[in-house]
Amino acid sequence: MPVISVVKDADARTMTVTARFDAPIGRVWQVWSDPRQLERWWGPPMYPATVTEHDLARGGTVTYYMTGPEGERHGGWFRVRAVDPPHNLELDAGFADADGHAIPETPTAVIRVALSEPAGGGTQMTITTAWASDEAMEQMLATGMEAGMTAAVGQIDALLDLSAQA
Amino acid sequence: MAESERADALFHALADPTRRDILAVVLRDAYSVSDLARRYPISFAAVHKHVGALERAGLVTKTRHGREQRVRGDVATLRSAHRLLDDLEALWRGRIDRIDQLLADSTEGARQCP
């Protein structure tokens, strides 16, 4: 399993996922920098992502939507706060409408991605998601039931993986 | 309930569009199962079953109100920061696995087409 650790801190409103991949750092960077590769993993299997805009320069915008089982679209956006290929990427992330426009008054999070080359080979990726406030974190679920559902679909993925290993 | 059973119940509850709709309705206000049954072109028994699935997932609670039971969405469950983080953890575990698969696929591709 590539996931090394998941550290959840409800008080600090952060979650940090650390994973290690058996691939060179430049190759792992591509899963973020290539929109066609980003769409292959961002959305859960029942909610595949389509990236509509992808500018990973500082200040640039990435927009995408995920298509649900009944054809409904859930939009999202990133704004690039900082980028240093192939090591660091810092994004603001939020909800968008079907056309990719940010929905005002909806919660946003900051996603920090750090890639490094640990001794022994491969690439380590650390992803930290942070919310500005408890309200932003709660709203993410309370106002965005769909986001909760998307996450629930992710849960079944995890369960299927567990049962496949058993 | 074990974590995997809880997640299973949650996924099962949310996988059905009628149940998602019922949950959205009872998050706004409490309804009896009969009230809910009138909203959908399905039998009372079917609605009762949907409510049962939502209840097992901890997404709704039933409270007795005179002769009837009213169903209400459990906002506390939904808003729980820990729950949100659990869901987010599962989402990211799925993403990491898909990245791993994507990297493995491209390595195989490179081997096949040197």
Side-chain angles (χ1 to χ4, degrees):
Chain A
M1 282 289 284
V3 174
I4 294 173
S5 69
V6 178
V7 178
K8 293 178 282 185
D9 187 336
D11 294 331
R13 301 178 298 269
T14 62
M15 187 187 74
T16 303
V17 178
T18 304
R20 188 160 169 175
F21 300 103
D22 182 20
I25 191 166
R27 175 69 195 90
V28 178
W29 180 259
Q30 287 172 3
V31 306
W32 289 95
S33 67
D34 174 355
R36 300 290 83 82
Q37 292 188 44
L38 178 60
E39 348 184 90
R40 285 185 57 185
W41 64 271
W42 182 258
M46 287 170 72
Y47 288 79
T50 303
V51 176
T52 44
E53 188 183 348
H54 190 278
D55 174 11
L56 221 57
R58 186 165 178 269
T61 301
V62 174
T63 55
Y64 66 89
Y65 59 85
M66 297 189 287
T67 306
E70 287 149 61
E72 74 279 16
R73 288 182 177 187
H74 310 290
W77 57 266
F78 305 141
R79 194 93 60 230
V80 181
R81 293 163 64 104
V83 58
D84 175 24
H87 292 102
N88 289 292
L89 181 63
E90 192 171 316
L91 307 164
D92 286 316
F95 294 116
D97 62 24
D99 296 321
H101 302 299
I103 303 172
E105 314 281 311
T106 53
T108 62
V110 176
I111 298 174
R112 291 186 186 87
V113 184
L115 301 186
S116 62
E117 297 174 281
T123 302
Q124 183 162 308
M125 178 161 74
T126 301
I127 297 159
T128 304
T129 306
W131 287 269
S133 66
D134 286 342
E135 289 70 31
M137 203 164 142
E138 286 169 6
Q139 277 176 7
M140 208 119 188
L141 201 56
T143 69
M145 270 301 297
E146 298 294 343
M149 282 167 217
T150 307
V153 175
Q155 280 186 322
I156 202 75
D157 287 348
L159 289 172
L160 287 171
D161 287 341
L162 283 175
S163 58
Q165 281 163 26
Chain B
M1 197 188 289
E3 183 67 15
S4 62
E5 288 172 40
R6 187 189 69 79
D8 202 23
L10 182 69
F11 177 74
H12 177 69
L14 291 174
D16 183 275
T18 304
R19 283 198 289 277
R20 291 201 296 268
D21 199 69
I22 290 172
L23 179 59
V25 167
V26 300
L27 276 169
R28 289 192 287 271
D29 206 352
Y31 288 88
S32 71
V33 177
S34 323
D35 290 338
L36 288 171
R38 277 193 283 277
R39 300 176 68 104
Y40 301 95
I42 52 176
S43 68
F44 175 90
V47 171
H48 191 265
K49 208 172 155 187
H50 283 317
V51 169
L54 289 167
E55 193 179 18
R56 278 190 296 281
L59 290 164
V60 304
T61 52
K62 282 191 204 153
T63 46
R64 183 153 288 285
H65 217 87
R67 292 181 58 186
E68 61 179 23
Q69 283 197 319
R70 290 205 181 157
V71 182
R72 182 179 265 288
D74 193 330
V75 181
T77 303
L78 275 178
R79 283 191 177 166
S80 154
H82 288 281
R83 173 67 158 275
L84 173 55
L85 285 171
D86 286 349
D87 289 349
L88 195 72
E89 172 180 349
L91 182 66
W92 272 102
R93 282 183 180 276
R95 283 176 177 159
I96 297 293
D97 284 348
R98 288 191 291 278
I99 291 174
D100 197 45
Q101 190 58 51
L102 173 61
L103 296 171
D105 287 352
S106 64
T107 308
E108 271 170 34
R111 278 186 198 130
Q112 282 159 13
C113 318

